[in-house]
Amino acid sequence: MQYRKALGIGATGLTVLALGSASLPACADEFIGYGQAGAPGSWALEAFPVFQHTGPNSNSIYSSFNPAYFTETGFTGTHRDQFEFWINGSLGYSNPHGAPGANGAGFAYPNLGIEYYYNVVVPDQPVGTPGYRTFWTSPTLTVVFPNGSTKGAGFGAGANQFSYGFNVNNYIQIGRVGVTINPVELTYASRNLNATDIGNGQMEHLRGGLSMTLMDIAGGYQVRDDLFIGLHHAYSIYSMAGSDFEEQREGKIGPAFSYYGLAKYGVYISGNLNFDYYTSSNLRHSVSFTMALVKYL
């Protein structure tokens, strides 16, 4: 029920690259350094694997995959701004917990996205030096399409509807401290195209409605030219309005990293290990490990 994407900083010369925001209903995670423009006029292949354990015995493993294209320039006609476009979808497996005829494996969240990057504060000092200052902002729009699944359990169940996501991502770096901040992320899921039996043979096209993630933040310290280490945090309110489902809340926090030591091969790696510090009474605690794997072509 959310979204995210990727960035990279080259180890040699610390050239700032980046990727924007990705698959909507996967896992709402920012990564350290996200929100900066990508290499002008380039293509990238991106994967966002997730492993999640939900107590007491539920496990999911899935990943979204997509090609992304970064334009040469944006509205200004300079490298101060840029557009990114992508097409994306997720493959995965979730425990069906003995549901009759259920298949744990599935496909979900085929989506199209666009992100606009603008460099509000242009740096005039080298990356990582005490005088380095930069600020990027990047509004993002994602449209998710129905996956066609009518199953009641397993990965992709309940994802047979249109969804829409919007957020404004921000990246700030001062000296060797870098922080990616998404203050508010909004997702709206429309009614399922297939009907669900809600009891006594009553069939309903259920609507996910509006969900929101607050303070999705990944920040850290540049301990080496090719490595940031820090923390990730996000607080989500699922089905908060216009929904046929009961509202659920989840706050999560944990260590984060972004590694650029393979930049000479065009490869960038980021990850977050998230622990729930708060869940509403109708939601079970979980632990998740999320990653971003990016390869520039």
Side-chain angles (χ1 to χ4, degrees):
M1 292 174 246
Q2 285 93 32
Y3 30 116
R4 233 24 324 117
K5 264 243 180 117
L7 146 123
I9 297 180
T12 303
L14 291 170
T15 303
V16 175
L17 304 174
L19 305 174
S21 301
S23 66
L24 216 86
C27 187
D29 268 20
E30 286 294 349
F31 296 94
I32 299 173
Y34 280 30
Q36 302 172 80
S42 68
W43 285 89
L45 296 178
E46 307 166 356
F48 302 91
V50 177
F51 173 79
Q52 183 172 27
H53 171 75
T54 303
N57 62 349
S58 180
N59 297 295
S60 299
I61 184 168
Y62 54 92
S63 183
S64 62
F65 303 90
N66 64 271
Y69 177 70
F70 300 88
T71 62
E72 187 73 29
T73 64
F75 292 121
T76 68
T78 71
H79 290 160
R80 187 170 182 173
D81 65 340
Q82 181 188 64
F83 288 96
E84 177 192 3
F85 303 93
W86 67 83
I87 182 171
N88 185 289
S90 298
L91 296 171
Y93 177 89
S94 295
N95 295 102
H97 289 299
N103 184 352
F107 171 76
Y109 318 127
N111 67 85
L112 298 173
I114 179 172
E115 186 162 4
Y116 173 70
Y117 303 90
Y118 182 74
N119 195 185
V120 180
V121 176
V122 179
D124 58 5
Q125 299 293 325
V127 176
T129 62
Y132 183 79
R133 303 285 189 278
T134 192
F135 170 34
W136 287 84
T137 189
S138 55
T140 305
L141 177 65
T142 309
V143 179
V144 182
F145 298 91
N147 68 339
S149 174
T150 59
K151 64 182 182 179
F155 186 77
N160 193 24
Q161 81 281 123
F162 287 92
S163 299
Y164 312 91
F166 178 76
N167 68 86
V168 180
N169 204 6
N170 303 276
Y171 179 69
I172 301 169
Q173 185 170 342
I174 300 174
R176 299 183 75 86
V177 176
V179 182
T180 297
I181 303 174
N182 226 317
V184 180
E185 303 168 359
L186 300 174
T187 304
Y188 180 81
S190 60
R191 292 192 182 277
N192 280 359
L193 298 185
N194 60 288
T196 300
D197 188 347
I198 62 173
N200 299 321
Q202 183 177 351
M203 306 297 290
E204 293 286 347
H205 292 266
L206 300 176
R207 181 173 57 188
L210 180 66
S211 296
M212 176 172 63
T213 295
L214 302 172
M215 301 308 290
D216 192 356
I217 302 173
Y221 185 78
Q222 190 176 357
V223 296
R224 301 187 330 207
D225 285 351
D226 61 358
L227 179 64
F228 276 84
I229 294 179
L231 286 173
H232 170 255
H233 169 271
Y235 185 90
S236 297
I237 308 172
Y238 308 118
S239 304
M240 62 179 293
S243 176
D244 294 323
F245 300 93
E246 185 179 5
E247 180 183 290
Q248 298 175 321
R249 295 185 176 225
E250 177 189 30
K252 59 185 181 180
I253 194 169
F257 75 92
S258 285
Y259 176 65
Y260 315 125
L262 300 175
K264 64 180 179 180
Y265 304 109
V267 175
Y268 303 89
I269 303 171
S270 297
N272 300 325
L273 179 60
N274 296 305
F275 300 89
D276 282 351
Y277 67 84
Y278 173 80
T279 57
S280 53
S281 59
N282 56 353
L283 188 65
R284 293 177 175 175
H285 285 270
S286 67
V287 176
S288 62
F289 180 59
T290 66
M291 292 190 70
L293 307 175
V294 181
K295 175 66 171 75
Y296 277 92
L297 304 179

